[in-house]
Each structure stands twice: as C-alpha cells, then as structure tokens.
Amino acid sequence: MLSCFERCVVLYENERRWIMVINMMPVFKDSLSLDSTCFSSPPVNFLQELPSYRSTARKRTNILSRDKQSGILLKPIDSYSSQLEEGITENLDSQSIRKYALNISEKRRLRDIQETQMKYLSEWDQWKRYSSKSWKRFLEKAREMTTHLELWREDLRSIEGKFGTGIQSYFSFLRFLVLLNLVIFLIIFMLILLPVLLTKHKITNSSFVLIPSKDIDIQCTVYPISSSGLIYFYSYIIDLLSGTGFLEETCLFYGHYTINGVKFQNFTYDLPLAYLLSTVTYLVLSLLWIVKRSVEGFKVNLIQSEEHFQSYCNKIFAGWDFCITNRSMANLKHSSLRYELRADLEEERIRQKIAERTSEDTIRIYSLRLLLNCVVLAVLAACFYAIYRATIFSQEHMKKEIDKMVFGENLLILYLPSIVITLANFITPVIFAKIIHYEDYSPGFEIRLTILRCVFMRLATICVLVFTLGSKITSCDNLSCELCGYNQKLYPCWETQVGQEMYKLMIFDLIIILAVTLFVDFPRKLLVTYCSSWKLMQCWGQQEFAIPDNVLGIVYGQTICWIGAFFSPLIPAIATLKLIIIFYVKEMSLLYTCKPSPRQFRASNSNFFFLLVLLIGLCLAVIPLTISMAHSIPSSKACGPFTNLNTTWEVVPKTVSTFPSSLQSLVHGVTSEAFAVPFFMIICLVMFYFIALAGAHKRVVVQLREQLSLESRDKRYLIQKLTEAQKDVRN
C-alpha cells in the first residue's frame, strides 16, 4: 500500500510538472515568436482543461494541510528549493539525509548546513547527535554482518541467478521451515528436555517429583516393556525405522516423561504444565510467524491485482526477471512469458466463449462439472477408505511376535499406512490433472483448482490416519477398556503409539524423496541424455522441477511435524535434519537432473501461495491436537506426565486453583461469558474498521491508476498541441 506521504508526493509531482509547463509556456511562445492567433485561447487554458490538472487543483488544498500535519512542506515551484531546504534542515535530527530523493550536490550542501548548525549547539546536544549517528552506523553495520550469516545465502543467490526468483522462492520457503522447526525444537528442549536431562545426569541439585498415586485400576497402569533377551540383528533396523523397541523407551516419545515435575532448591518445576505450554507456544508462534510473512505477500498481491490490459503491458514491459544470468534460463523465461501471454489469450477466449453460451450449453457444462466433481469425491473417498483399512490392518497385526514373521513382512505391516498414503499422493494428482481438462475452465483457474484438490488430498490423509487411530484406541470390547476409557490392552500408552505413526510417516517421506531422486530422476536424466534418439525417451523427456508439487511435499512433512511434536517431542529436530537433507538433494536435482517447469511462478505470488498452503496445513494440524488434548480420549494411565488427569487440558484448571484468590477471580472473569461477549464485539468492530480501511486504500490505488492513465492521455494531448504549434510556425 502507498502511504499518505507517498500519495501526496505523487500528486505534488504532477502539480509541480504542470506548474513548470505553465511557467514555461510564455517563454516557449516568445522563443518561437508565436502570434496570439496561434492558439484560440491563452496558453494556460488548454492545460486547465486536462483531467489530471483539474484533479490536482482540486486536491491541492487537502495536500497542503496534510503536509503541514506531517511536518514535510511541499511548496510551489518558485520557492520549492528554499522551502524544501528549510523543511529538511528542521528534520535533520530525526532523519538521515540519504533518505531524501535529492542529487549528490544538494545532499552535500545539506550536510554542510548540518555541520554548520552543529557549531551553535550545546555540548550536550552535540554529544546526543554524535551518539545517535554512531548508533545508527552500528545498526547498519550489524545488519550487513547478519546478512552474511544467513543460512544458504550463496546457494540461494546462485539458484536465483541461474533459474530466476520463482524457483528461488521455493528454496527460501524451505529455509524458512528449517528455521521454524529449529525454533520449535528449542522451545520444546528448553521447556521439557532440559530440566529432565539436568536432573537425570545430576548436573544440578534437583530431583524428580513422582506422580502421586491415585485411585486407578491396576490394569490401566500396566505398560509392558520390550524383552531384553536374544534379539535379531535386523530388529534394530526395524526399531530404527518404526520407533519401536529400544527407541520407544527414549526421550523421543511421550511415554518417557512419566514424572510430575522437577524439584529444584527454591521451586518445583511443573512438567505437565510445561508440556502443555510448549505445544500451545509452538502452535501460536507458527501461526504468528506465518501470518506475518503472508501479510507482506498479500499486500503485494492486492496492489498487483490488475486489469487485462495492464496484465499484457506488465508482462511485455515489466515481466523480465533481471536476476537471471544463465542463457538457458533466459530462453526459458522467454518461453514462460510466451506461455503466460498464450494463457491470457486463452482466458480471454474462454471469457468470450462464456459470454456467447446458450442456456443449453450452460446446463450441459454445469452438469458435466457436477459429474466430474462427483468423480473427484469418489476418488478421495476411495483413498480415505484405503488408508482407513490399511491402518486397521496394520494395527491388528503389528502386535505379533517378531519371530513369527520374516523381516520384509514385519516392515511391510509396520509401514502399510505410510505406503498407502504415499501411493495416494502420487496417483491422485495425475487423476485430477486428467479430469480438470474436461471441466472447461480457464488455464489459470485449472492450475489453482488442481493445486487446491492436491492440498486437500495430501493434508486430509494425515487427519484420516489420526482419526482412524483414535477410533481404534477408543474401541472398547473388553473390561479393561471400560475401566480405563480406552483400549488399554492394545494401546497401553496410546500417545507414544500415535507418535510412532508420525515418526514412521516422517522417515518414510524422507526415504521416498531420496529414492525418487536417486533411482528415478538420475537414471531418467542419463537415459534422456545418452539415448535421446529413442522415441520413448523423446516422449518421456526430462523431469521437470514442478514448484507446486515440491511445496506440497514439504508442507505435508511440516503438518506431520506439527501433529507429532506433542506425541514425540524430538520430531521437530528430525524434521529440521530432514529439511536440510531435502535442500541439498533438491538443489542437486535441480542443477543436474531436472529442468525448470515452463509454468513459472513469480516470487511475490509464490511466497503468498506457499504460506497460504502452510497456513491450511497448520489449521488441519490443530484439529486432531485439540481433540486429543481436550475431551475426546482420556490420557494414558500407564505413561506420560498426565497419568493422574482425565485429559491433558485438566492441568490448566488444576494450576489455576493454586493461584491466590484475587488472581483466580481475575482468571475466571477473563474466561467468563461476561468478558468474552464484549471482547468478541470489540474484535468484530476492529475487524470491520480494518476491512473498511483496506477498501479505502484499494480505492486510492484505483484512483492512482486512473491518474496514470489520464497522464498518458495528457501527454498525447500535449504532443498533439505542440505538433500543431510547430506546423503553424513553419507555415
């Protein structure tokens, strides 16, 4: 959005331009020795007929009053330099000279004025000004140093130079997820792992506070530990890939933290409360961080919303990516611009076709779309049902003894839900891409709708898996299930087993990415390069680096991380290492095995799209976490820090009950309906205010665009008049 000052500057520059033209008109007339009969009216009159001049004159009074309020005076051209100098010298203390749009000589003159003024200041004022300058220089140097410490700075610049800003935005997004997961891991480490590790290794003078005994049936507290007898070698590989066995008893999973707190010398650290707060903290932090980054992209998209004529002009005159230095990428950018122009023309053709449709054609196309959407829903339902059946089968057969099945069979049963989810994620985009061609949409809308369907498919599969596990956990067919509130026989520590499923999804996703790159992309590159004469290789072609598919892949992994961090506190660290590996693997794949897609994304549009998909993933991740922590499934009675509580959320009212009575009254008042209803109304009023403000800003942008259009007409009008004047002079 343009600020108020920037809009004033734009309007003032137009006013200043016309005043200069008006003042120069008599000189122009005298120099050409024009007679008064050359124009039917005085020279100024036709300028006053211009739309932009009338608009500037109408707004002049408002601009001057607005400038006086902001402390920056914009004066007519005859006294512009002197009064601009006065306005700048008055603000030299608060602003740097480099911020003013002046030439070097004027900046040097202002600097001399500033040094002259320093002589007449007191020593205290001189010290304040020198210290302010030194502090600003220090901050600038610090910013320069931090830019050199950015993660993968040189790699991103190299990718940007060779492949443009669209592909570079994908790797910048991946870097953002690495930093986000690292911060999430640090939050969990500081709140949960660090107190436990300090006490466990006797680094501090602290001790564990055991969970007090409660009237719980003895059957609910049974948690069978893996046998320590003779173990096959390959069982360690299975444990490492599935999170069972020796990994199940480590700090990787929820069941390891079966303590009530850590007692230090002066206070007792409440581990259940810290466990819940860490989950809430990383979810809120992720939301705020994503919203902050997406708002910037939303502003750019809001300003760049353009008409079709402006779209053509922007693509032709401002569509080039000047970061490209590679010739092949330059040719690709040319083809990309041609593709965008063809897509715009195709959209215009479809728009004209829609306008010419008859009622019979409209009924036919909408009936076909309804039928094809039913097919899409059927495909989604089939995938969800396959995931449900695979999860049920895996959970029913994974409790067999390891010596009763071979290595491959055991691994297949453990990873069956992950395999089905991966197959669904590979197959459904191909089906959706075939279906969308028959729905008769514009090319741009085809891409958006296909991506939206793939996003829903990828993220909904995780929710289906979690809810299937929840239904199995709460399915009661024996006495112990009725006593404990969940199926204690199959799931003595159900939080750990949900964490194991998330762990398997994370590991299997990394394995698939590495396997596809090493065993599909590299051989395909070799075959296309050295066997290019084969017709099959010519039809197959080189693998394209499709940005949307790669983004959906890492958003899918990030959603797994958000869900699994509660059940497996070390999953964010695993996700960080996974994303670092993916960065280098994708970079190598881009440089040596893949070619960029002809459908390129602009960096501004890409960043907003990536963060929007990530925000959808976060919202879907919050749903199962909220259900599992609130009232749906009771907490495990055999493991974890919440064994004495029915649900995870009960630790909050339990903690509030230990507060002083005045603080308890305040908390109950804030959480009551009497506070919630007025607060909700105030939030709605604030939201309506910002919506109205955004609408006003959008109208200002429209007016500025109209003014630019009027200026182009004014230029043509002036050129026409000057041409006529020159013809009259020659005559």
Side-chain angles (χ1 to χ4, degrees):
M1 288 294 179
L2 294 176
S3 64
C4 177
F5 173 70
E6 290 171 339
R7 294 198 298 270
C8 295
V9 169
V10 170
L11 295 174
Y12 172 70
E13 288 297 330
N14 297 329
E15 180 185 4
R16 178 186 173 192
R17 188 184 303 118
W18 293 125
I19 293 174
M20 290 176 64
V21 173
I22 291 170
N23 293 334
M24 291 172 62
M25 286 304 297
V27 179
F28 176 75
K29 182 178 68 173
D30 295 337
S31 63
L32 295 178
S33 301
L34 291 177
D35 194 81
S36 61
T37 59
C38 292
F39 297 101
S40 59
S41 61
V44 180
N45 291 344
F46 79 91
L47 291 175
Q48 293 176 348
E49 296 175 0
L50 296 176
S52 60
Y53 183 85
R54 291 201 302 268
S55 175
T56 303
R58 185 172 60 252
K59 297 178 181 178
R60 184 184 305 169
T61 306
N62 296 332
I63 293 171
L64 291 176
S65 61
R66 205 177 302 162
D67 292 335
K68 290 178 181 179
Q69 293 177 2
S70 62
I72 302 175
L73 301 178
L74 299 177
K75 302 294 182 180
I77 192 64
D78 53 359
S79 60
Y80 172 74
S81 298
S82 61
Q83 296 185 2
L84 177 63
E85 180 179 317
E86 293 177 2
I88 293 176
T89 53
E90 290 176 358
N91 296 321
L92 284 177
D93 293 337
S94 59
Q95 296 185 5
S96 176
I97 295 177
R98 69 177 62 183
K99 295 182 180 179
Y100 291 95
L102 303 172
N103 55 40
I104 297 298
S105 60
E106 291 178 347
K107 288 184 178 181
R108 287 174 179 172
R109 185 160 50 87
L110 289 174
R111 190 175 298 278
D112 294 337
I113 295 172
Q114 185 181 17
E115 292 177 355
T116 305
Q117 288 179 349
M118 289 283 290
K119 299 178 181 178
Y120 301 100
L121 296 177
S122 63
E123 294 182 357
W124 172 250
D125 292 334
Q126 291 182 11
W127 180 84
K128 285 196 302 182
R129 186 168 294 185
Y130 279 126
S131 60
S132 176
K133 281 186 176 181
S134 302
W135 177 249
K136 289 179 181 179
R137 289 173 184 171
F138 171 75
L139 291 179
E140 290 176 358
K141 294 294 183 181
R143 292 191 192 100
E144 292 178 2
M145 291 297 295
T146 53
T147 55
H148 293 284
L149 298 177
E150 288 181 358
L151 184 63
W152 298 319
R153 177 171 173 266
E154 297 299 329
D155 297 273
L156 292 178
R157 284 191 173 185
S158 175
I159 292 171
E160 185 180 21
K162 292 179 180 178
F163 303 101
T165 56
I167 293 180
Q168 184 264 349
S169 63
Y170 161 75
F171 287 94
S172 298
F173 178 67
L174 201 153
R175 179 180 64 180
F176 163 68
L177 291 183
V178 169
L179 297 177
L180 178 63
N181 285 319
L182 182 61
V183 172
I184 291 174
F185 168 70
L186 291 176
I187 291 172
I188 295 176
F189 178 80
M190 296 296 293
L191 293 178
I192 300 175
L193 286 170
L194 186 61
V196 174
L197 293 177
L198 291 177
T199 306
K200 183 178 180 180
H201 297 284
K202 305 297 182 182
I203 299 176
T204 59
N205 187 15
S206 58
S207 59
F208 291 122
V209 179
L210 300 180
I211 298 175
S213 60
K214 192 178 178 182
D215 189 13
I216 301 175
D217 192 274
I218 191 64
Q219 297 182 12
C220 299
T221 60
V222 176
Y223 187 21
I225 305 298
S226 302
S227 61
S228 58
L230 182 61
I231 299 176
Y232 293 99
F233 173 74
Y234 61 79
S235 64
Y236 287 107
I237 301 177
I238 294 176
D239 294 342
L240 189 63
L241 294 176
S242 61
T244 57
F246 71 94
L247 281 181
E248 187 174 352
E249 303 171 10
T250 62
C251 58
L252 177 61
F253 293 108
Y254 170 93
H256 177 76
Y257 306 94
T258 312
I259 56 175
N260 195 45
V262 178
K263 187 175 182 180
F264 293 93
Q265 291 182 353
N266 299 323
F267 67 98
T268 300
Y269 189 78
D270 193 346
L271 187 66
L273 181 63
Y275 203 101
L276 179 62
L277 286 179
S278 65
T279 304
V280 176
T281 302
Y282 78 72
L283 290 175
V284 173
L285 175 67
S286 301
L287 176 64
L288 295 178
W289 204 344
I290 293 171
V291 169
K292 179 182 178 299
R293 289 176 64 96
S294 60
V295 163
E296 299 172 358
F298 178 73
K299 289 180 180 179
V300 175
N301 284 349
L302 188 63
I303 294 177
Q304 287 182 348
S305 58
E306 51 198 16
E307 298 177 358
H308 300 289
F309 178 74
Q310 294 172 346
S311 175
Y312 296 137
C313 293
N314 288 341
K315 286 182 175 63
I316 293 172
F317 297 107
W320 186 252
D321 190 350
F322 288 94
C323 294
I324 295 175
T325 58
N326 186 277
R327 181 174 292 275
S328 61
M329 278 306 303
N331 296 331
L332 183 66
K333 185 63 179 179
H334 280 293
S335 63
S336 175
L337 289 174
R338 288 195 297 269
Y339 167 79
E340 290 181 4
L341 290 172
R342 285 198 302 268
D344 288 341
L345 294 174
E346 180 68 17
E347 289 184 1
E348 189 67 27
R349 185 190 65 81
I350 291 177
R351 194 176 294 108
Q352 184 178 0
K353 181 180 176 182
I354 292 173
E356 297 174 354
R357 276 179 187 166
T358 62
S359 57
E360 291 82 3
D361 294 335
T362 305
I363 294 174
R364 180 186 58 82
I365 191 64
Y366 278 101
S367 301
L368 180 61
R369 288 175 182 176
L370 180 62
L371 177 62
L372 292 176
N373 279 286
C374 292
V375 174
V376 171
L377 292 176
V379 171
L380 292 174
C383 293
F384 295 158
Y385 182 73
I387 296 169
Y388 171 77
R389 294 305 308 171
T391 306
I392 296 294
F393 182 83
S394 175
Q395 295 297 313
E396 289 178 351
H397 291 78
M398 69 184 298
K399 296 299 180 181
K400 291 183 179 180
E401 294 293 333
I402 189 93
D403 54 355
K404 292 184 180 180
M405 60 179 77
V406 297
F407 171 74
E409 181 186 359
N410 190 19
L411 202 60
L412 179 63
I413 289 176
L414 288 173
Y415 272 89
L416 187 59
S418 303
I419 294 172
V420 174
I421 289 174
T422 303
L423 289 176
N425 291 336
F426 271 110
I427 295 172
T428 50
V430 179
I431 299 175
F432 294 156
K434 297 294 183 182
I435 289 175
I436 198 69
H437 292 309
Y438 299 99
E439 295 186 82
D440 199 13
Y441 290 118
S442 62
F445 189 76
E446 281 185 3
I447 295 174
R448 290 192 293 269
L449 184 59
T450 304
I451 291 174
L452 183 63
R453 287 170 176 172
C454 294
V455 167
F456 178 76
M457 175 63 204
R458 278 183 175 266
L459 302 183
T461 52
I462 306 174
C463 295
V464 170
L465 174 63
V466 174
F467 285 118
T468 304
L469 289 174
S471 65
K472 284 293 294 180
I473 292 169
T474 55
S475 61
C476 297
D477 54 359
N478 51 44
L479 181 61
S480 63
C481 183
E482 296 177 359
L483 291 174
C484 307
Y486 59 94
N487 196 335
Q488 198 275 339
K489 183 177 180 181
L490 292 178
Y491 304 96
C493 184
W494 64 266
E495 291 92 347
T496 294
Q497 287 165 301
V498 173
Q500 289 171 351
E501 292 297 328
M502 298 297 106
Y503 175 82
K504 286 187 285 187
L505 285 176
M506 184 78 67
I507 297 298
F508 191 72
D509 186 45
L510 177 60
I511 292 174
I512 289 298
I513 291 174
L514 295 177
V516 168
T517 303
L518 294 175
F519 302 114
V520 177
D521 292 345
F522 274 104
R524 181 175 178 177
K525 171 67 175 179
L526 294 175
L527 290 174
V528 170
T529 303
Y530 297 104
C531 304
S532 58
S533 59
W534 297 3
K535 291 185 178 180
L536 179 61
M537 293 298 104
Q538 293 175 0
C539 297
W540 195 13
Q542 192 174 349
Q543 175 69 28
E544 291 183 356
F545 191 87
I547 297 177
D549 295 338
N550 286 284
V551 169
L552 293 181
I554 59 177
V555 170
Y556 166 77
Q558 185 60 38
T559 307
I560 295 172
C561 176
W562 278 323
I563 296 176
F566 176 77
F567 306 103
S568 177
L570 290 184
I571 270 191
I574 299 174
T576 304
L577 295 176
K578 172 192 167 185
L579 291 173
I580 292 174
I581 295 172
I582 289 176
F583 182 91
Y584 289 108
V585 170
K586 291 297 182 181
E587 185 183 13
M588 296 291 293
S589 176
L590 176 64
L591 293 174
Y592 299 108
T593 65
C594 295
K595 64 178 181 179
S597 174
R599 293 183 176 182
Q600 292 193 350
F601 281 62
R602 285 193 176 186
S604 58
N605 298 334
S606 301
N607 291 328
F608 180 68
F609 164 72
F610 298 163
L611 294 167
L612 181 62
V613 174
L614 189 63
L615 190 61
I616 295 173
L618 178 61
C619 295
L620 290 178
V622 170
I623 295 173
L625 284 176
T626 304
I627 293 175
S628 63
M629 290 190 299
H631 302 289
S632 179
I633 308 175
S635 301
S636 297
K637 303 300 184 290
C639 69
F642 305 100
T643 55
N644 273 357
L645 303 173
N646 290 328
T647 60
T648 304
W649 189 254
E650 284 189 7
V651 70
V652 176
K654 179 183 176 183
T655 305
V656 171
S657 64
T658 61
F659 291 168
S661 57
S662 58
L663 188 57
Q664 288 187 37
S665 303
L666 178 62
V667 172
H668 290 311
V670 170
T671 56
S672 64
E673 294 84 356
F675 178 83
V677 174
F679 180 75
F680 178 74
M681 294 179 64
I682 293 173
I683 291 296
C684 291
L685 291 175
V686 173
M687 182 181 66
F688 290 146
Y689 167 75
F690 280 107
I691 291 174
L693 188 63
H697 287 169
K698 193 170 184 179
R699 286 191 294 272
V700 170
V701 172
V702 172
Q703 291 175 1
L704 291 174
R705 285 177 178 168
E706 291 176 354
Q707 186 175 351
L708 290 174
S709 178
L710 290 174
E711 285 188 6
S712 63
R713 297 177 185 177
D714 295 344
K715 291 176 182 178
R716 290 197 297 269
Y717 180 79
L718 284 174
I719 292 172
Q720 181 182 358
K721 288 295 182 181
L722 291 173
T723 304
E724 292 176 358
Q726 289 176 355
K727 288 181 180 179
D728 293 339
V729 170
R730 294 192 190 99
N731 294 332

